[in-house]
Amino acid sequence: MAATTPAESLQDEASCSMCLDYFTDPVMTDCGHNFCRSCITQTWKGRDTDFPCPQCRAMSLQANLRPNRQLANMTEIAKKLSQTSVRPKEENLCEKHEEKLKLFCEEDLRVICHICRESRDHRSHTVIPIEEAAQEYKEKLKMHLEPLRKNLEDLLKFQSTEGKKAADLRRETEIKRQKLESEFEELQQSLNKEKQIIFSKLEEEEKKILQRITETVTQLEEQSSSLIQLISEIEEKSQQLATELLKDVKDALSRCQEMKFPEPEAVSTDLKMGFQLSYPRQLKKWITKFGGFDWWMEFGRYTANVTLDPETAHPNLVLSQDRKSVRSGNRRQNVPDTPQRFDIDPCVLGSEGFSSGRHYWEVEVGDDPFCQLGVCNDSVRRKGEIKLSPEEGLWTLGLWNEQGCWTLTSLVTELPLSEIPRAVGILLDYEAGKVSFYDADNKSHVFTFTNTFTGKLRPFFWTNSEIPLRIRQVPAWN
C-alpha cells in the first residue's frame, strides 16, 4: 500500500527492502541500492564472485559495500518522527462504527453505540443508558461483594486458627522434647550413680578375696618351710652310723608323727557380692510390665504407694489388714462417728494426699458389679448424700457391669468401651489439672478430666459390693 503522508513516505525510505524494518548499519551496493549490512551479508554468504543486487539483480564482481551514514542519520530521524506522530486511539469508541459507546444491551450484556442500537443485532433488545446500567450493576456487584468479604474473613480466621495450631504444636513439641531430655538426663545420672556404687562394691569384694588368698598363701609358705626343714633333718639322720642313728631315733620318729598341718581352705574366686543390682532389674520389670519404654516413662516413674484411710471409711466397709483392699460387709460396724467419716455413701479415701506433681496407681476391680474410682478434694463433704461430680470436688469413673462405663460431669456421660476394665489405672497430673483413667491391663486410655486444682487431692473409692476393690502392687522402679 502506497504511503499517504510525508511521514509515512519517509518511513518507507528508511526501511530495508529485505527485512522491511528500519535500516540497521545501512550499506550501499555498486548499483546504488541500500540494505542492512547483516541482510546483504547473509544473502551473499558463500559466494566468491558474481554478487547480485537483491533489488535489481545487477551483478558485481566483488562484494563492495559502502557505509551510508546519511541514510543512517535519516533512519534515526524517521524513527523519532514515527514515535511522535502516532496518536492514541480515542477510548470508549465502538470498534465497528467509531462512535461513542453510550448504551448498554441487557440481553448481550455489552456496551454499544447508537448505530449498533439500530442494527439488526440489537434492534429487538432492551437497551438502557450506560450510566444507568453502570449504577445497576454496581449495586449488584456490591451485593456479591459482602458475601465475598465474609468468605475472605472466614478464610483468614481459619488460616489464623490453623497457624495458631501449628505454633501451639511446635511449642508443645518443644516442651515435651525438653521434658524428655530432662527425664533422660535424670535417668542417665541415676544409672551412672548406680554404676559407681556397683563398681565400688565390686572392688571391695575383690579386695576381700585377695586378702584371704594372701593369708592362705602365707600359711602355706610357713608350712612348706617347716616341712623342708624336717625333711632335711631326717635325711641327715638317715646317713648317720647305726649307733648315732639309733641314739635319738624315738625323738625323730615322734617329730615326724607330730608334724601335721591343717589342710588350708581353698579360697573361692566367685564374686558373691553381698548386694542386689536392684535398679537395672526393677527398671527391666517396669518396662516389661508396662509394655514398653514409652509407657514406663509416662507412668512408671510416678507410682504412688496408695493405702486406705480407715478414719474415713463408711461403717459398712471392711478394710484389709494391709489397708490395700476394701469391700462391703453388709452390716454397720461399731466405729466412731467422726467428722472425717462418710455416713451415707459407702466411700473411703486414700491416706495419701497430693498437692503437686504426677501420681499413678492401679485398682483391681474384678467382678465388682458397681464401683466408683478417682480423686476428690480433701475437703469433700462426708455427711449426707454426695454428688459424684467435679462441681462437688470429685473426679471419678463409674464401672457398672450391666450399664458399662460412665463419668459424671454436668451430665452423666456413657463411655463407648468394647469391654469394662477389670483393673483401672489412675494418673493425677496436678499442675496440668488432669485426672486420666486407663484400662490397666491393655494400657488403653478411657477418659480424662481437666480442671484447675487447688488444695490437697486424695484417692477416692466407692463400692457397695462384697467383692473387694484391691490396690494393685506395682513394683517400684527405683
Side-chain angles (χ1 to χ4, degrees):
M1 182 181 292
T4 58
T5 64
E8 292 176 346
S9 299
L10 179 60
Q11 292 170 13
D12 288 343
E13 292 298 325
S15 300
C16 173
S17 60
M18 297 183 67
C19 65
L20 303 179
D21 201 353
Y22 288 114
F23 284 113
T24 302
D25 188 14
V27 293
M28 182 185 296
T29 61
D30 289 341
C31 61
H33 292 112
N34 296 283
F35 306 95
C36 297
R37 182 182 293 275
S38 59
C39 294
I40 189 67
T41 302
Q42 183 65 27
T43 302
W44 288 353
K45 185 177 181 180
R47 288 178 175 270
D48 296 328
T49 184
D50 295 336
F51 297 95
C53 172
Q55 190 165 344
C56 66
R57 312 307 297 175
M59 293 290 182
S60 299
L61 296 178
Q62 294 181 349
N64 294 325
L65 296 173
R66 297 187 301 279
N68 193 337
R69 292 184 178 84
Q70 289 180 335
L71 182 58
N73 294 335
M74 187 186 71
T75 300
E76 292 300 321
I77 295 172
K79 287 181 181 180
K80 294 178 181 179
L81 183 60
S82 65
Q83 293 173 357
T84 58
S85 62
V86 175
R87 292 181 300 172
K89 184 177 181 180
E90 187 176 352
E91 297 180 355
N92 298 327
L93 292 181
C94 177
E95 293 182 355
K96 187 175 182 180
H97 305 111
E98 294 189 356
E99 293 289 334
K100 287 188 177 182
L101 300 170
K102 293 184 177 182
L103 302 173
F104 181 76
C105 177
E106 291 192 326
E107 275 75 6
D108 293 338
L109 297 180
R110 56 175 294 187
V111 289
I112 60 176
C113 66
H114 285 287
I115 299 177
C116 293
R117 170 69 181 87
E118 301 301 327
S119 67
R120 183 175 297 152
D121 294 337
H122 299 282
R123 186 179 301 165
S124 61
H125 294 172
T126 301
V127 175
I128 60 176
I130 192 171
E131 292 81 4
E132 184 179 336
Q135 186 62 33
E136 179 183 342
Y137 281 94
K138 185 182 294 185
E139 295 299 328
K140 290 183 179 181
L141 290 174
K142 283 183 179 180
M143 291 174 59
H144 289 287
L145 189 60
E146 189 62 29
L148 291 175
R149 285 175 175 167
K150 183 64 172 59
N151 290 337
L152 176 60
E153 182 180 354
D154 293 341
L155 286 174
L156 292 176
K157 284 182 179 179
F158 184 71
Q159 178 182 348
S160 175
T161 301
E162 293 302 303
K164 187 175 182 299
K165 285 182 182 178
D168 291 343
L169 176 62
R170 285 191 289 269
R171 182 167 56 254
E172 184 178 349
T173 302
E174 182 60 28
I175 292 173
K176 194 162 189 177
R177 182 183 293 111
Q178 292 177 1
K179 180 180 178 182
L180 287 173
E181 287 179 356
S182 176
E183 290 178 345
F184 273 109
E185 184 178 352
E186 181 182 346
L187 177 60
Q188 185 65 44
Q189 290 175 356
S190 299
L191 289 173
N192 287 336
K193 183 179 179 180
E194 187 75 15
K195 174 183 174 183
Q196 295 302 322
I197 293 174
I198 292 173
F199 282 5
S200 176
K201 291 185 178 181
L202 180 66
E203 187 176 349
E204 290 177 6
E205 189 72 12
E206 180 192 21
K207 288 180 180 178
K208 289 180 182 179
I209 296 175
L210 287 176
Q211 183 179 356
R212 290 174 59 190
I213 292 175
T214 301
E215 292 173 354
T216 301
V217 170
T218 301
Q219 181 183 358
L220 291 173
E221 288 177 350
E222 292 176 355
Q223 292 176 353
S224 298
S225 177
S226 299
L227 282 173
I228 290 171
Q229 183 178 354
L230 178 60
I231 290 170
S232 177
E233 292 178 0
I234 296 301
E235 287 178 346
E236 184 179 348
K237 187 69 174 175
S238 299
Q239 300 299 324
Q240 291 178 351
L241 296 175
T243 55
E244 289 294 326
L245 184 146
L246 296 174
K247 186 181 293 184
D248 53 359
V249 68
K250 182 180 180 180
D251 180 59
L253 290 173
S254 176
R255 291 176 60 194
C256 289
Q257 293 173 354
E258 293 176 357
M259 183 64 73
K260 294 181 179 179
F261 301 100
E263 184 177 350
E265 181 182 353
V267 180
S268 174
T269 58
D270 293 338
L271 296 174
K272 298 177 180 179
M273 296 177 285
F275 63 93
Q276 298 279 333
L277 304 183
S278 59
Y279 185 93
R281 290 174 183 172
Q282 295 292 2
L283 176 59
K284 184 177 180 180
K285 285 182 182 179
W286 265 103
I287 294 175
T288 302
K289 176 175 179 57
F290 286 112
F293 187 76
D294 291 341
W295 181 271
W296 175 79
M297 286 296 294
E298 186 68 21
F299 300 96
R301 305 189 64 191
Y302 307 110
T303 300
N305 183 23
V306 174
T307 57
L308 301 172
D309 183 2
E311 299 296 327
T312 64
H314 184 274
N316 284 5
L317 296 181
V318 179
L319 275 58
S320 63
Q321 188 174 358
D322 61 359
R323 296 191 295 165
K324 287 288 186 178
S325 68
V326 57
R327 64 178 178 83
S328 176
N330 288 328
R331 63 184 181 86
R332 196 174 186 88
Q333 301 179 85
N334 187 17
V335 292
D337 184 12
T338 61
Q340 292 80 23
R341 190 178 305 279
F342 292 92
D343 65 347
I344 299 296
D345 289 291
C347 308
V348 62
L349 302 183
S351 300
E352 297 73 19
F354 308 116
S355 56
S356 64
R358 284 184 172 187
H359 309 278
Y360 178 80
W361 63 97
E362 294 179 354
V363 181
E364 293 180 359
V365 177
D367 296 322
D368 190 332
F370 182 69
C371 65
Q372 291 278 139
L373 301 170
V375 299
C376 68
N377 285 330
D378 186 36
S379 59
V380 70
R381 185 159 56 91
R382 315 292 173 87
K383 305 302 180 183
E385 293 185 0
I386 61 175
K387 183 180 179 182
L388 303 175
S389 67
E391 289 78 7
E392 296 294 325
L394 295 104
W395 298 267
T396 63
L397 179 76
L399 302 177
W400 194 352
N401 283 347
E402 296 181 359
Q403 298 294 329
C405 185
W406 47 274
T407 62
L408 268 175
T409 52
S410 57
L411 298 172
V412 176
T413 303
E414 185 175 355
L415 304 177
L417 301 181
S418 58
E419 58 181 0
I420 300 176
R422 297 180 61 83
V424 176
I426 303 169
L427 175 66
L428 167 63
D429 191 338
Y430 194 96
E431 280 74 18
K434 293 182 179 180
V435 181
S436 299
F437 297 89
Y438 300 85
D439 186 325
D441 291 331
N442 61 27
K443 311 302 181 293
S444 61
H445 175 258
V446 176
F447 186 79
T448 294
F449 285 100
T450 57
N451 208 302
T452 301
F453 301 130
T454 57
K456 185 186 296 184
L457 299 181
R458 296 174 69 176
F460 177 85
F461 306 82
W462 190 109
T463 182
N464 200 21
S465 171
E466 294 181 4
I467 299 175
L469 296 176
R470 188 177 304 278
I471 300 171
R472 180 179 284 181
Q473 293 295 110
V474 182
W477 73 283
N478 56 358

